[in-house]
Amino acid sequence: MDLADLYRDVIVDHNRNPRNFRKIAPPCEHAEGLNPLCGDKLQVYVRLDADDRIEDVSFEGSGCAISVASASLMTEALRGLPRPEAEALYDRIHGMLTGAEEADIDKVGKLAALAGVRAYPSRVKCASLCWHTIHSALAGGGVVSTE
Ligand code: ZN
């Protein structure tokens, strides 16, 4: 399967059926992400367990297909990860979206599909929004804006 097929199939699937599209009841960390250029607005929730592992992660909000699909993929990828691995994945995806890193399906699985946005520079912020937002949530919360 090439990257273009993966991009189309995965984005369509996760936009139609977003995973973990719900709120997490406190105690949890939370942050809001805004991408004014596109109108994407996401709430990201994350709960860490006593071992600093991501016990639950979810999102709500509205946005374009890419922002929703990216957030859905992110919640699937992060669940169960120890915090340092989650931060490492954040760095890797950020590198992949900006073109600094190759999209390696062996390393990031379905998240490689997000590299498809590199063909549409205006959509890179849509794909990266949820990642910046969870980064902020893990750092104590707040509002993140791409502008
Ligand atoms: Zn968008």
Side-chain angles (χ1 to χ4, degrees), residues 107-128:
K107 284 185 187 154
V108 298
K110 275 192 290 185
L111 290 169
L114 295 173
V117 299
R118 292 195 301 215
Y120 316 95
S122 65
R123 313 314 296 273
V124 168
K125 286 176 177 173
C126 301
S128 63

Side-chain angles (χ1 to χ4, degrees), residues 35 38 40 64 67 123 126:
N35 178 18
C38 180
D40 309 318
C64 65
S67 67
R123 313 314 296 273
C126 301

Side-chain angles (χ1 to χ4, degrees), residues 23-131:
K23 205 175 269 186
I24 295 176
C28 67
E29 306 299 328
H30 161 251
E32 179 174 60
L34 304 172
N35 178 18
L37 219 58
C38 180
D40 309 318
K41 185 175 179 185
L42 300 176
Q43 310 288 329
V44 172
Y45 304 88
V46 58
R47 182 186 290 151
L48 297 161
D49 68 14
D51 298 323
D52 225 18
R53 192 177 284 266
I54 295 183
E55 180 183 290
D56 199 5
V57 51
S58 70
F59 78 107
E60 280 189 324
S62 58
C64 65
I66 292 168
S67 67
V68 170
S70 182
S72 173
L73 285 161
M74 180 185 79
T75 60
E76 276 198 325
L78 291 181
R79 180 184 305 278
L81 286 190
R83 185 188 184 122
E85 282 183 36
E87 296 284 0
L89 188 59
Y90 165 84
D91 288 339
R92 179 167 284 155
I93 297 301
H94 192 250
M96 190 182 82
L97 291 175
T98 55
E101 245 186 88
E102 285 302 306
D104 187 337
I105 296 179
D106 291 334
K107 284 185 187 154
V108 298
K110 275 192 290 185
L111 290 169
L114 295 173
V117 299
R118 292 195 301 215
Y120 316 95
S122 65
R123 313 314 296 273
V124 168
K125 286 176 177 173
C126 301
S128 63
L129 180 64
C130 61
W131 295 89

